[in-house]
């Protein structure tokens, strides 16, 4: 194992993927991060919690690392009265925002971190309020004033700033983008998120474990299957539940349909952002047909609440499987025609090519993940690296591009659309018979579990801790946008301001899933 030299007491967690957990001290926390970074591994997520009882806090930091062997969850329990820990942002630059969020939510501080500005706390909270501390301040406590955010300024002759958001011209999520430009060339972009923070992680602690999959499925609506599956995988791991094979195949079917739905939407929007309204019209039509059949087959256009603890909520009969197969054939033919149009359209390719480049070297440095990483020479895909049922039987082909520009991210979407359509055909033709949901009793004791799923944007992780009475003590949901938002800041440098919507859409990152 990659971390065997640290003398950790690793515990293999039950579940379909290779996941280990270990408690570490401050020296091992930092040594583990260095070992993973030196070995080319990835920091998947970092979060904090309070494991104290009553008013006495007992703060803890957690980090999840992906290495060749699987996933390592390292747990740093701070001493009573301690609220600082070794900074990881020098090894993994994107960790800075996760550390800032941990400071806002729990009050733990990374020692020596260069950036300690608030991330989720915009002001307006009760003074000293830390939402995930035990016995957090009640309502009615005097609130701090709303605060101006100290953006990094760029000085120089002809440099000016353009502020965009958080309210935008379309019906989209709120986020603020501060551009420093000369003429129309972007010198720097700084993002300010947190406007959709809604207390999701605190809400988890007030829900029954067998009901919280519904909240997980709403962390990011376009990834409802990925998050719900990851939550259920974590709960099933904590309880040692075996999911019926038929249910696992149906979960994969739902996940691939979610992937296709999002790629169809993005391909149309990217055409529209490059002035090809025809692309938007055609892909919007195809996506609408796709969602309508999801409604007919699963009871919800976005397939919310279909993945449940122990399995799935909906079974498919032979007639519906045939409808799904026929739709795959029809959609694939149309998407292949549209792909040919996109590839041969000179104006479109002029806008796509060399725009918003993230080189393979920069992608590795920034920890780019998911779809965007596969467009920049990093072919990481859990369905290929650590395939579980049914992916171990389906032989998923991972997309791969090297140029890291908008064109490459479009090409990855086309490839993955065709591959997901193939997988859906395979699943519908080979799905085993049997029960689609195992019975699960409400938990009554402590436990931990992790869910790790390759969503359409990238790897989704859910880490779950149950208390001694079986209640949710902590549930952390991690979206790959945490890693990829900082990369977007780099991708726009040197481009012109009018190309930002195109570059932004080529990543299509989520606000809600990181604001939590």
């Amino acid at each position: 194992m990659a971390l065997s030299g640290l003398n950790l007491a690793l515990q293999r967690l039950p579940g379909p993927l290779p996941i280990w957990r270990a408690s570490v001290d401050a020296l091992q926390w930092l040594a583990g991060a260095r070992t993973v970074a030196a070995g080319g591994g990835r920091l998947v997520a970092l979060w904090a919690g309070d494991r104290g009882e009553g008013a006495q806090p007992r703060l803890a930091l957690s980090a999840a690392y992906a290495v060749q062997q699987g996933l390592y969850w390292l747990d740093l329990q701070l001493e009573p009265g301690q609220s600082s820990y070794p900074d990881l942002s020098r090894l993994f630059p994107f960790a800075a925002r996760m550390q800032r969020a941990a400071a806002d939510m729990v009050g733990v501080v990374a020692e020596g971190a260069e950036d300690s500005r608030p991330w989720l706390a915009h002001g307006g909270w009760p003074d000293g309020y830390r939402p995930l501390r035990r016995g957090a301040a009640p309502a009615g406590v005097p609130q701090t004033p709303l605060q101006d955010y100290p953006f990094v300024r760029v000085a120089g002759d002809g440099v000016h700033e353009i502020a965009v958001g958080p309210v935008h011209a379309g019906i989209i999520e709120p986020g603020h983008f501060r551009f420093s430009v000369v003429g129309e060339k972007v010198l720097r972009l700084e993002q300010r998120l947190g406007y959709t923070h809604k207390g999701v992680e605190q809400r988890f602690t007030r829900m029954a474990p067998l009901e919280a999959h519904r909240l997980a499925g709403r962390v990011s609506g376009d990834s409802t299957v990925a998050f719900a599956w990851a939550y259920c995988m974590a709960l099933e791991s904590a309880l040692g539940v075996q999911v019926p094979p038929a249910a696992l195949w149906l979960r994969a079917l739902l996940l691939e349909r979610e992937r296709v739905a999002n790629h169809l939407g993005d391909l149309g929007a990217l055409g529209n952002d490059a002035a090809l309204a025809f692309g938007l019209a055609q892909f919007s039509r195809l996506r609408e047909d796709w969602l309508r059949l999801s409604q007919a087959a699963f009871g919800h256009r976005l397939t919310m609440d279909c993945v449940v603890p122990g399995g799935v909520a909906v079974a498919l009969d032979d007639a519906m499987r045939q409808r799904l197969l026929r739709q795959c054939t029809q959609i694939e033919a149309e998407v292949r025609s549209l792909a040919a149009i996109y590839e041969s359209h000179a104006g479109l390719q002029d806008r796509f090519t060399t725009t918003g480049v993230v080189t393979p070297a920069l992608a590795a440095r920034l920890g780019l993940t998911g779809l965007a990483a596969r467009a920049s020479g990093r072919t990481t895909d859990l369905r290929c690296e650590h395939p579980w049922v049914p992916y171990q039987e389906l032989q998923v082909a991972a997309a791969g591009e090297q140029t890291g520009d908008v064109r490459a991210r479009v090409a990855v979407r086309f490839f993955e659309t065709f591959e997901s359509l193939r997988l859906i055909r395979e699943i519908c033709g080979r799905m085993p018979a049997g029960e689609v949901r195992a019975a699960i009793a409400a938990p009554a004791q402590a436990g931990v579990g992790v869910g790790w799923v390759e969503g359409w944007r990238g790897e989704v992780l859910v880490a779950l801790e149950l208390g001694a009475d079986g209640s949710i003590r902590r549930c952390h949901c991690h979206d790959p946008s945490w890693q990829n938002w900082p990369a977007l800041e780099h991708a726009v440098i040197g481009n012109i301001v009018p190309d930002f919507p195109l570059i932004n859409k080529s990543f299509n990152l989520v606000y809600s899933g990181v604001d939590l």
Side-chain angles (χ1 to χ4, degrees):
M1 295 181 185
L3 302 182
S4 57
L6 300 180
N7 297 316
L8 303 179
L10 291 164
Q11 172 196 5
R12 174 70 186 263
L13 300 183
L17 283 88
I19 299 174
W20 294 266
R21 183 174 184 245
S23 295
V24 298
D25 58 28
L27 292 177
Q28 291 171 322
W29 170 266
L30 196 53
R34 287 172 176 159
T35 300
V36 172
R42 308 190 306 277
L43 173 63
V44 177
L46 183 150
W47 67 99
D50 182 0
R51 295 179 184 148
E53 300 295 338
Q56 180 60 42
R58 189 74 190 277
L59 308 182
L61 270 295
S62 295
Y65 296 104
V67 296
Q68 185 176 0
Q69 294 80 7
L71 187 84
Y72 290 95
W73 173 359
L74 300 188
D75 212 42
L76 174 61
Q77 183 80 56
L78 302 184
E79 295 298 323
Q82 183 182 2
S83 60
S84 64
Y85 62 97
D87 170 41
L88 299 186
S89 63
R90 288 178 174 82
L91 296 167
F92 301 100
F94 57 87
R97 291 183 179 183
M98 293 184 254
Q99 292 178 164
R100 291 163 63 189
D104 291 341
M105 300 300 288
V106 181
V108 289
V109 179
E111 299 166 357
E114 294 182 1
D115 193 348
S116 59
R117 293 173 294 173
W119 183 245
L120 296 177
H122 288 213
W125 289 2
D127 191 30
Y129 180 58
R130 299 289 182 261
L132 296 183
R133 284 279 189 102
R134 301 291 170 193
V141 174
Q143 295 183 338
T144 59
L146 295 176
Q147 302 166 1
D148 288 333
Y149 187 71
F151 286 96
V152 176
R153 305 293 183 183
V154 177
D157 188 32
V159 177
H160 64 283
E161 290 185 343
I162 301 174
V164 178
V167 178
H168 297 280
I171 304 174
I172 61 174
E173 295 179 278
H176 183 87
F177 301 92
R178 185 67 60 92
F179 296 88
S180 297
V181 302
V182 171
E184 286 198 333
K185 181 176 288 188
V186 178
L187 300 179
R188 177 185 173 86
L189 166 63
E190 188 171 2
Q191 301 150 356
R192 175 61 166 143
L193 307 181
Y195 296 95
T196 65
H197 176 69
K198 49 209 167 291
V200 168
E201 293 180 300
Q202 186 186 77
R203 179 72 181 111
F204 269 116
T205 65
R206 300 172 183 176
M207 296 188 74
L210 295 182
E211 296 294 329
H213 65 284
R214 301 187 66 234
L215 180 58
R218 287 159 175 79
V219 165
S220 177
D222 60 12
S223 300
T224 182
V225 175
F227 273 105
W229 192 349
Y231 174 86
C232 290
M233 187 187 295
L235 181 63
E236 290 150 6
S237 170
L239 301 182
V241 172
Q242 295 294 321
V243 180
L248 294 173
W249 284 73
L250 278 167
R251 285 179 176 181
L253 174 64
L254 291 163
L255 187 67
E256 297 310 317
R257 285 192 63 86
E258 179 169 87
R259 197 181 315 276
V260 171
N262 282 287
H263 287 345
L264 292 176
D266 283 355
L267 288 167
L270 283 160
N272 191 58
D273 281 346
L276 185 66
F278 167 82
L280 176 64
Q282 297 304 314
F283 278 108
S284 296
R285 173 179 59 82
L286 296 178
R287 184 173 185 271
E288 178 62 23
D289 290 344
W290 193 260
L291 297 181
R292 288 183 182 184
L293 189 54
S294 290
Q295 172 75 49
F298 305 107
H300 196 289
R301 287 166 59 87
L302 301 180
T303 60
M304 281 187 174
D305 302 328
C306 290
V307 178
V308 297
V312 294
V314 180
L316 293 180
D317 57 25
D318 289 339
M320 183 54 72
R321 282 201 293 269
Q322 292 303 314
R323 288 184 66 183
L324 295 176
L325 287 169
R326 287 194 298 272
Q327 186 183 55
C328 286
T329 300
Q330 177 258 322
I331 291 284
E332 180 174 359
E334 296 209 45
V335 173
R336 289 197 182 278
S337 296
L338 289 166
I341 292 172
Y342 272 43
E343 290 167 5
S344 62
H345 193 289
L348 205 64
Q349 291 302 312
D350 181 65
R351 291 291 305 278
F352 286 175
T353 305
T354 71
T355 301
V357 174
V358 179
T359 65
L362 181 60
R365 174 62 180 150
L366 297 178
L368 201 65
T369 189
L371 179 156
R374 292 189 283 276
S376 295
R378 289 169 60 84
T379 54
T380 58
D381 190 324
L382 289 181
R383 300 171 300 164
C384 304
E385 295 174 343
H386 304 290
W388 67 102
V389 177
Y391 290 111
Q392 60 194 21
E393 300 183 35
L394 298 175
Q395 301 297 312
V396 179
E401 293 283 333
Q402 295 292 322
T403 54
D405 52 4
V406 172
R407 184 211 60 81
R409 291 185 282 276
V410 169
V412 167
R413 282 179 169 88
F414 274 117
F415 182 96
E416 293 190 351
T417 298
F418 298 135
E419 179 64 4
S420 290
L421 291 171
R422 181 190 72 82
L423 293 173
I424 292 169
R425 290 194 193 94
E426 289 272 337
I427 293 168
C428 287
R430 300 170 57 185
M431 189 180 302
E435 297 294 324
V436 297
R437 187 173 186 180
I440 298 184
Q445 60 185 15
V448 296
V450 173
W452 195 23
V453 173
E454 187 70 30
W456 74 269
R457 274 193 189 88
E459 54 194 343
V460 164
L461 181 132
V462 173
L464 179 66
E465 300 178 38
L466 301 177
D469 60 353
S471 63
I472 296 176
R473 176 177 288 268
R474 182 76 169 91
C475 182
H476 177 69
C477 295
H478 180 90
D479 188 276
S481 299
W482 276 106
Q483 276 88 333
N484 293 353
W485 273 118
L488 176 61
E489 292 183 335
H490 289 264
V492 302
I493 294 174
N495 290 267
I496 61 174
V497 174
D499 274 341
F500 173 70
L502 180 63
I503 300 169
N504 188 28
K505 175 53 70 173
S506 74
F507 284 86
N508 195 9
L509 306 177
V510 71
Y511 302 72
S512 177
V514 298
D515 291 346
L516 295 174

